[in-house]
Amino acid sequence: MIIARSASELRAATTGPISFVPTMGALHAGHASLIRVAAADGSCVVVSDFVNPSQFGEGEDFEIYPRDLDGDATIAEQAGAHILYAPDVSEIYPPDFSTTIDPGPLAQELCGAHRPGHFAGVATVVVRLFGLVGPRRAIFGRKDYQQLAILQHVTNDLALGIEIVGVPTVRDADGLALSSRNAYLSAAERSLAVTIPRALRHAAEAYAEGQRNGGVLAEIGHNALDGVALEYLELRSTDLGFYDPNLPAVLLVAGHVGTTRLIDNIVLDPTAPERAATQISTKEYA
Ligand code: PAF
């Protein structure tokens, strides 16, 4: 695997169609699963490793976000990446850079309501990276459900001609969705954090038993959350419109445990209602 520190090094190293995995580094098994999906079709796999300042708000964790290029290189290479693109901030945002992508109303809801400007920062850096990398397809985790929906929308709206692929969330044995931010959690906080997947699972179990009332499902989720400073817990249609009990839905949650912001979600499908609960199997339920 080649580590490219500039777009020219990147271009010199790429061959054939590119599958692209954009990341902010601090790679873990969730990223490795994205890379494996990228590699599965035999394309040239480029992983970007760039902590994007424009998607962090004031007082958020940009300064302390974990950075470990050597560790990232090991994980990326083992998972099948061909190129790890780790640009300097001046390459992504040169001094005369002045464009911002406004992804529209969805960017103001859910996480966007709590992180003003966040999705504009994400969309802007991802489209810039698309321009620099030139992928045929790009792979994102479904843990960031709203991000995936927004990037799909932006890619369609701007006719970028890039296939957007969503990959299922990878979880630890206790059910917690893998996230680079889990590294911030103390042992005590971690035991509070697992109430997030537990809440999703409780709601999914009720759904599997036939509960379709959105208010009741949300309340079941709320009741299972303990010690999480909740930002939102919302049931939506899978395209993030209004919940319709007859159609597939997604239950999304965001909150803080201590100073760590965590998000998670679970898809509920009326044609396979028991499938959701099995997405989160944790030791405590065994
Ligand atoms: O999901 C992430 O890690 C980031 O939001 C992304 C897509 C790499 C953009 O910085």
Side-chain angles (χ1 to χ4, degrees), residues 22-24 50 52 55 122 125-126 140 144 147 151:
T23 84
M24 296 206 299
F50 178 69
N52 172 36
Q55 69 189 77
V122 170
V125 79
V126 168
F140 297 90
D144 297 282
Q147 169 174 282
L151 292 173

Side-chain angles (χ1 to χ4, degrees), residues 121-245:
V122 170
T124 303
V125 79
V126 168
V127 171
R128 172 121 179 107
L129 287 166
F130 282 174
L132 292 165
V133 174
R136 185 180 62 78
R137 60 182 192 139
I139 325 293
F140 297 90
R142 289 199 195 127
K143 180 178 78 71
D144 297 282
Y145 193 96
Q146 186 180 12
Q147 169 174 282
L148 178 61
I150 285 172
L151 292 173
Q152 179 69 74
H153 205 88
V154 167
T155 304
N156 292 347
D157 284 355
L158 301 181
L160 299 179
I162 297 166
E163 181 192 353
I164 303 294
V165 179
V167 174
T169 302
V170 179
R171 296 178 182 279
D172 265 328
D174 59 7
L176 190 64
L178 295 193
S179 162
S180 305
R181 291 191 166 97
N182 293 352
Y184 301 149
L185 297 168
S186 67
E189 288 170 342
R190 181 146 184 136
S191 58
L192 295 175
V194 297
T195 63
I196 293 176
R198 192 183 299 160
L200 294 177
R201 181 164 171 132
H202 281 320
E205 284 169 347
Y207 188 87
E209 285 159 15
Q211 181 58 258
R212 294 289 181 276
N213 182 304
V216 173
L217 289 167
E219 196 184 330
I220 290 167
H222 272 279
N223 291 342
L225 285 166
D226 192 9
V228 178
L230 199 62
E231 279 185 357
Y232 65 81
L233 181 140
E234 279 196 36
L235 193 58
R236 299 266 184 125
S237 62
T238 47
D239 63 0
L240 297 179
F242 292 116
Y243 169 66
D244 177 336

Side-chain angles (χ1 to χ4, degrees), residues 24 52-57 60 93 115 117-119 121-122 125 147:
M24 296 206 299
N52 172 36
S54 74
Q55 69 189 77
F56 289 80
E60 292 190 348
Y93 298 115
R115 303 186 73 188
H118 169 68
F119 288 117
V122 170
V125 79
Q147 169 174 282

Side-chain angles (χ1 to χ4, degrees), residues 2-10 49 69 84-88 91:
I2 289 164
I3 298 181
R5 301 308 307 250
S6 68
S8 55
E9 284 178 22
L10 169 71
D49 190 326
L69 187 60
L84 185 65
Y85 172 45
D88 196 71
E91 180 161 77

Side-chain angles (χ1 to χ4, degrees), residues 88-99 128 132:
D88 196 71
V89 69
S90 60
E91 180 161 77
I92 302 299
Y93 298 115
D96 60 346
F97 188 88
S98 64
T99 298
R128 172 121 179 107
L132 292 165

